[in-house]
Amino acid sequence: MSGTTATTAIDRSDKPGHIGVILLVAGLLVGAAIALGFIANEWAQPLILGLLALLSVVGVFGLFAFAIGLIQFSGRAARNDLTKAIVDGAEDGVVVTEGENRIVYANEAYLALAGARGASDIRPVERLFTGRADVSEAIYRLATAARENRRLIEEVRLEPALDGRGGVGWYRIRVSSVHRDGRPATLWSVSDVTPERERQENAFQELQHAIDYLDHAPAGFVSIDADGEVSYLNATLSGWLDFDLARFGSGGLHLDDIATPNAAALIQAIRGLPGDVRTEVLDVDLKRRNGVPLPVRLHHQVAFGSDGRAGPSRTLVLNRTSGEAGSDGRSDAEARFARFFHSTPMAIATVDKAGAILRSNAAFTRLTQAGPQPAAIQDLVTPGAAELQRALSDAMDGRADIAPLDVTLAGEDGRSARLYLSPVAATEDGDGERAIIYALETTDERKLKDNMDQAGKMQAVGQLAGGIAHDFNNVLQVIINASEFLLASHRPTDPSFPDIMQIKQNAYRAAALVRQLLAFSRRQTLRPQVLELGDVLSDLSLMLKRVVADKVGLDVRQGRDLWPVKADLGQLEQVIVNLAVNARDAMPDGGKLTVRTRNVAAADAAGFGHAALPADDYVLLEVEDTGTGISPEHLDKIFEPFFTTKEVGKGTGLGLSMVYGIVKQTGGFVFCDSAVGQGTTFRIFLPRHVPSAEEIAAEAAAKEAPKKLAADHTGAGVILLVEDEDAVRALNARMLVSRGYTVHEAASGVEALDIFMKHDGRIDLVVSDVVMPEMDGPTLLGELRQRNPATKVVFVSGYAEEAFRKNLPEGEDFQFLPKPFTMKQLVETVKAAMG
């Protein structure tokens, strides 16, 4: 730049000295010396001394001025001259202004940029750069920054360039404030960056050409990061897949959007060591926007970082559709086979003689849903699978009758699979394949089988428990009835009265245990009613506080707008209390018991991860404690009757079995999650009850019905009493006779039918047991209906009504009385049936 003009830098920052001043000082000193020569001697001496004193003062002042830097000698001035010389010769134009754009310094580069031939035609920056609005705005921002003592850089584009040196010029202008001799000044720096901008524009145009070529090349290009996000998709592939590239601006695409599940599994299954660069050729199907598959061949390259994490891929996509660019007719059969191989739902892999995996399909990669792909088939299963090693040895020996293997896959999720091994004949030119392994994941099937086995076991135990309870109820029925007769004939002052009362109370206690057995076997009698679970919990809150004791904190959290449920109120309360008692016992040192309720919509049911829970609307009851927890080996047995981990005498083992039975009989589901040392959570899902029109009408009628008067337990009529237990039959007959009824007794259904025919069907009521030898109660009812359709029947049983109603014709009318029952309950039921 310095060679463009003959001008030099302009510096008006200092005031130059003058030779006349020196001559004047010298003349004055010479004149003073001559004048002293003409003065008388008596005056010469004082004048000379005064002149010398004046010169001494001047000399001392000069020394002090030098000491404080007021006077500088040529050495320091030389250093300032060096700095000035550097700025004078700088390539960037530099100009310093004071006040209203008064230029006090401009170097040679600035004069060249401004096209100035001398100091008279030089212009400040603010008048040098004029033109379009964007230029004026940039200069205004720079001037404002200078006035506010700020630094600022702007780039402007002039057309034409300064001094007519081109059609377009680009200039970078810097501004900052400086201070000189206590006065503010502004330092401007101007750089011509036109060549730099031209190089950038050329590079940008070349990049645009490259991008345009890549976008419209006859092959697809895609880049996918480790999380499956598509970071680049060229226009060719976008057109094949019918996706709009503008979608990248609002979230972009994911691998699952453009690839089938099998293809996505293969792409994301590629693993490598830190620093590796893996290139795989995959014949797979991508997915168009409408879901139609697109057969392609991928040349998929992935680089792995120092941490082993995969970076964004560089993938070349060739369209294998017949007739498209990139298709190769000679390898169509190979491509079709690869697509079939990767699309089959059966996992397939080939291994060498050591078990190392050589090839695998997409289904095989999904066997290991997390972590790196196994290098050998032994890594696929849990350690210690001796059967797999023996099967591999058999395959190496060429045996074709290898039995399938059921194995547990490696990992913490407990998944399983069934493996089928097939040998491959060894060849000299082969690549080491010695066996083909086919695998089918059996996780869901195994869970279903385990659930069915558990359900079958629980059903078998329930049948056993129900049978025991039924027979024991007959014994309790005799004890309770006999104690009632004894109490009726003894006064409270009699010495034997307390003993009889003790017998009766313990009989009722035994009956409660029997009800728990029946609850587990789901054969107890329930009286379901529509309930609001929130109201039930509110009523139980005080009882729960007394149950959990002082060391355990109780937190009841009610959900909003709970749906109604249909359940037996007493049984449901017993479920909640029983769970609270168990939670209290699990927290001997104190803790917190939380009871929560909320609605669970059908869409949210699957989120709990319970395969046995159908998708439906439920009201969820959760009972959570912070106790000792349940060990995994006991978790599958907690609902079995008589199973308990408590000390002898502190539990019967029937509490949770009763909870299980009541919830199941209500149509709900109960699940338990527990961790040792962290606590236990029981979740009870009760189905939402939607009232029918008949239920709504019945509820309204019940509210309007008049109150009943006190019941009269006496009566008259002929009753046929059918009971195979002699003691039970005798006591029941005695009860009914004492109330005024005529009773005919029968020990079986066949005998009852004979008595009924002997009296020509003139029987007012038949009271019959359900389970009897020769002929059971439902069969007897059918025979009686054939002879007299108007016959009234009351069934008594230790089982629930629902347990035998299925054996009766639809709509059959009868009364039911569960065992054991009191004298009052028997006569009330008989009175109601005959009325």
Side-chain angles (χ1 to χ4, degrees):
M1 286 185 182
S2 60
T4 57
T5 66
T7 60
T8 59
I10 297 174
D11 190 353
R12 298 169 177 167
S13 60
D14 294 322
K15 294 181 179 180
H18 200 278
I19 191 63
V21 178
I22 298 175
L23 293 177
L24 178 60
V25 173
L28 290 175
L29 292 175
V30 172
I34 295 172
L36 290 173
F38 294 98
I39 297 175
N41 290 334
E42 61 273 14
W43 294 99
Q45 186 69 24
L47 292 174
I48 292 173
L49 290 175
L51 182 60
L52 291 175
L54 178 62
L55 292 175
S56 299
V57 171
V58 173
V60 172
F61 176 77
L63 289 175
F64 275 102
F66 174 74
I68 66 175
L70 200 60
I71 299 176
Q72 296 179 355
F73 294 108
S74 60
R76 186 168 297 179
R79 288 195 296 273
N80 291 336
D81 290 343
L82 177 61
T83 303
K84 183 176 182 302
I86 293 173
V87 179
D88 287 345
E91 293 184 0
D92 294 343
V94 178
V95 60
V96 180
T97 62
E98 288 182 347
E100 295 296 331
N101 289 327
R102 185 175 69 85
I103 296 177
V104 297
Y105 174 80
N107 70 348
E108 184 179 349
Y110 183 78
L111 295 176
L113 284 172
R117 302 299 177 180
S120 60
D121 59 350
I122 188 172
R123 289 175 292 170
V125 174
E126 295 183 48
R127 290 203 297 268
L128 180 63
F129 289 92
T130 59
R132 298 185 309 177
D134 57 341
V135 176
S136 300
E137 291 174 0
I139 299 301
Y140 174 76
R141 289 193 296 269
L142 289 166
T144 302
R147 287 192 296 270
E148 296 174 353
N149 293 327
R150 292 187 293 110
R151 296 176 180 268
L152 188 62
I153 301 176
E154 295 276 356
E155 285 193 7
V156 298
R157 179 179 183 275
L158 286 183
E159 188 175 357
L162 292 177
D163 200 19
R165 286 172 297 176
V168 177
W170 286 89
Y171 301 93
R172 184 178 296 120
I173 306 173
R174 299 179 177 87
V175 69
S176 61
S177 60
V178 295
H179 292 273
R180 190 178 66 84
D181 296 335
R183 297 190 303 274
T186 303
L187 173 64
W188 298 81
S189 173
V190 182
S191 305
D192 187 353
V193 294
T194 304
E196 178 184 341
R197 277 305 188 106
E198 290 176 348
R199 289 193 300 271
Q200 291 177 353
E201 289 183 356
N202 290 336
F204 180 75
Q205 290 178 357
E206 292 175 359
L207 180 62
Q208 285 292 103
H209 289 313
I211 293 175
D212 183 70
Y213 171 77
L214 187 63
D215 259 351
H216 299 91
F221 293 93
V222 64
S223 180
I224 305 166
D225 63 21
D227 297 325
E229 297 294 333
V230 177
S231 54
Y232 174 75
L233 186 76
N234 75 336
T236 300
L237 182 56
S238 175
W240 291 346
L241 300 178
D242 194 24
F243 279 106
D244 186 0
L245 287 177
R247 180 175 177 182
F248 287 104
S250 59
L253 294 170
H254 192 270
L255 177 61
D256 295 335
D257 297 325
I258 66 171
T260 61
N262 288 330
L266 282 173
I267 292 171
Q268 293 186 312
I270 298 175
R271 303 286 188 269
L273 298 175
D276 279 358
V277 178
R278 294 284 305 275
T279 301
E280 298 285 344
V281 179
L282 305 173
D283 288 297
V284 295
D285 285 344
L286 294 185
K287 183 172 59 178
R288 295 185 175 94
R289 187 165 59 90
N290 59 3
V292 177
L294 174 72
V296 296
R297 168 167 288 182
L298 304 181
H299 293 264
H300 186 69
Q301 185 183 80
V302 184
F304 294 86
S306 58
D307 58 351
R309 181 175 172 82
S313 72
R314 297 173 178 85
T315 306
L316 172 68
V317 184
L318 300 179
N319 193 338
R320 303 307 298 268
T321 304
S322 178
E324 290 285 346
S327 63
D328 183 3
R330 294 174 297 178
S331 59
D332 282 348
E334 176 189 350
R336 284 195 298 271
F337 173 77
R339 292 174 60 198
F340 296 152
F341 178 65
H342 291 306
S343 299
T344 177
M346 176 173 282
I348 305 174
T350 60
V351 299
D352 62 12
K353 62 181 180 181
I357 298 173
L358 303 178
R359 294 180 181 84
S360 62
N361 68 344
F364 192 86
T365 63
R366 290 197 294 271
L367 290 178
T368 53
Q369 295 178 351
Q373 290 294 308
I377 193 64
Q378 293 88 342
D379 301 332
L380 180 68
V381 302
T382 53
E387 296 83 358
L388 176 60
Q389 198 59 45
R390 286 195 294 269
L392 283 173
S393 299
D394 292 342
M396 299 306 110
D397 296 338
R399 292 186 54 183
D401 55 345
I402 303 174
L405 302 177
D406 290 312
V407 298
T408 301
L409 300 178
E412 299 179 355
D413 48 3
R415 297 164 57 238
S416 60
R418 174 166 290 183
L419 305 183
Y420 301 84
L421 277 72
S422 176
V424 174
T427 58
E428 294 182 359
D429 57 349
D431 56 0
E433 291 182 353
R434 296 299 304 275
I436 301 176
I437 297 180
Y438 306 91
L440 284 175
E441 185 173 355
T442 57
T443 305
D444 293 338
E445 289 79 358
R446 190 186 68 177
K447 288 182 178 179
L448 180 61
K449 182 178 181 299
D450 291 344
N451 290 337
M452 293 181 64
D453 292 344
Q454 180 69 11
K457 181 177 70 173
M458 298 292 277
Q459 183 179 3
V461 176
Q463 289 176 348
L464 175 62
I468 294 173
H470 175 267
D471 293 338
F472 197 53
N473 266 333
N474 286 330
V475 177
L476 292 176
Q477 183 70 63
V478 174
I479 296 173
I480 292 173
N481 291 350
S483 62
E484 286 187 339
F485 278 115
L486 288 173
L487 288 173
S489 60
H490 287 71
R491 296 178 181 180
T493 56
D494 290 343
S496 59
F497 189 88
D499 297 330
I500 301 172
M501 182 62 71
Q502 189 73 15
I503 293 172
K504 180 180 178 181
Q505 290 176 351
N506 280 278
Y508 280 122
R509 183 181 174 188
L513 293 176
V514 172
R515 281 196 297 272
Q516 292 182 354
L517 283 173
L518 289 173
F520 168 73
S521 63
R522 287 177 260 173
R523 295 184 178 184
Q524 67 171 340
T525 300
L526 297 182
R527 295 290 180 253
Q529 62 188 86
V530 179
L531 302 173
E532 297 290 341
L533 196 54
D535 297 340
V536 176
L537 273 182
S538 298
D539 295 340
L540 276 179
S541 294
L542 291 177
M543 180 186 293
L544 292 178
K545 288 180 180 179
R546 292 195 297 267
V547 165
V548 299
D550 297 334
K551 292 184 179 180
V552 178
L554 176 63
D555 183 12
V556 179
R557 301 181 183 180
Q558 296 276 23
R560 293 185 177 181
D561 301 325
L562 293 179
W563 295 320
V565 296
K566 192 170 186 180
D568 187 299
L569 176 60
Q571 299 293 345
L572 184 59
E573 289 178 342
Q574 191 163 352
V575 166
I576 299 173
V577 172
N578 192 281
L579 292 178
V581 170
N582 284 350
R584 178 203 63 192
D585 295 342
M587 297 181 285
D589 299 326
K592 183 179 180 181
L593 173 63
T594 305
V595 182
R596 292 184 293 264
T597 59
R598 64 185 175 98
N599 293 330
V600 177
D604 301 328
F608 289 90
H610 300 301
L613 183 65
D616 203 350
D617 291 339
Y618 299 97
V619 178
L620 172 62
L621 170 66
E622 289 181 300
V623 180
E624 180 181 2
D625 64 64
T626 58
T628 56
I630 304 172
S631 60
E633 62 269 17
H634 293 158
L635 200 57
D636 293 337
K637 302 177 181 179
I638 58 174
F639 294 120
E640 297 178 7
F642 306 113
F643 176 82
T644 180
T645 57
K646 297 179 181 179
E647 298 178 8
V648 177
K650 292 187 177 181
T652 62
L654 292 174
L656 289 180
S657 63
M658 178 203 67
V659 169
Y660 177 85
I662 292 174
V663 173
K664 285 294 185 181
Q665 194 170 354
T666 307
F669 300 86
V670 56
F671 302 99
C672 177
D673 293 327
S674 184
V676 176
Q678 298 181 14
T680 303
T681 302
F682 283 91
R683 293 185 178 90
I684 296 175
F685 295 84
L686 298 176
R688 175 185 182 181
H689 176 69
V690 179
S692 62
E694 292 79 4
E695 289 176 329
I696 296 174
E699 182 179 359
K703 292 180 180 180
E704 298 177 358
K707 293 183 179 180
K708 294 182 179 180
L709 300 175
D712 179 15
H713 293 161
T714 62
V718 180
I719 297 176
L720 175 59
L721 180 62
V722 188
E723 173 63 58
D724 60 327
E725 290 285 341
D726 296 338
V728 176
R729 185 177 67 253
L731 286 172
N732 290 344
R734 184 178 174 185
M735 286 183 188
L736 295 173
V737 170
S738 67
R739 291 297 184 269
Y741 296 100
T742 301
V743 179
H744 299 287
E745 300 180 35
S748 67
V750 175
E751 184 179 350
L753 197 59
D754 292 339
I755 295 174
F756 188 83
M757 296 300 297
K758 185 183 298 183
H759 290 81
D760 297 328
R762 292 190 297 273
I763 301 294
D764 298 319
L765 179 66
V766 177
V767 179
S768 173
D769 193 8
V770 174
V771 179
M772 296 180 295
E774 298 185 44
M775 181 184 294
D776 60 10
T779 305
L780 173 62
L781 178 61
E783 295 292 337
L784 294 177
R785 286 280 190 264
Q786 292 180 6
R787 291 159 175 78
N788 184 1
T791 303
K792 299 176 181 178
V793 176
V794 173
F795 280 124
V796 294
S797 176
Y799 291 142
E801 177 181 338
E802 290 77 9
F804 63 88
R805 179 179 282 276
K806 60 185 178 181
N807 297 326
L808 295 173
E810 185 70 24
E812 189 65 56
D813 183 27
F814 62 91
Q815 298 284 338
F816 178 73
L817 180 63
K819 290 181 180 179
F821 47 82
T822 64
M823 182 185 301
K824 179 181 178 181
Q825 291 171 332
L826 175 61
V827 296
E828 284 180 346
T829 303
V830 169
K831 184 84 172 182
M834 295 185 67

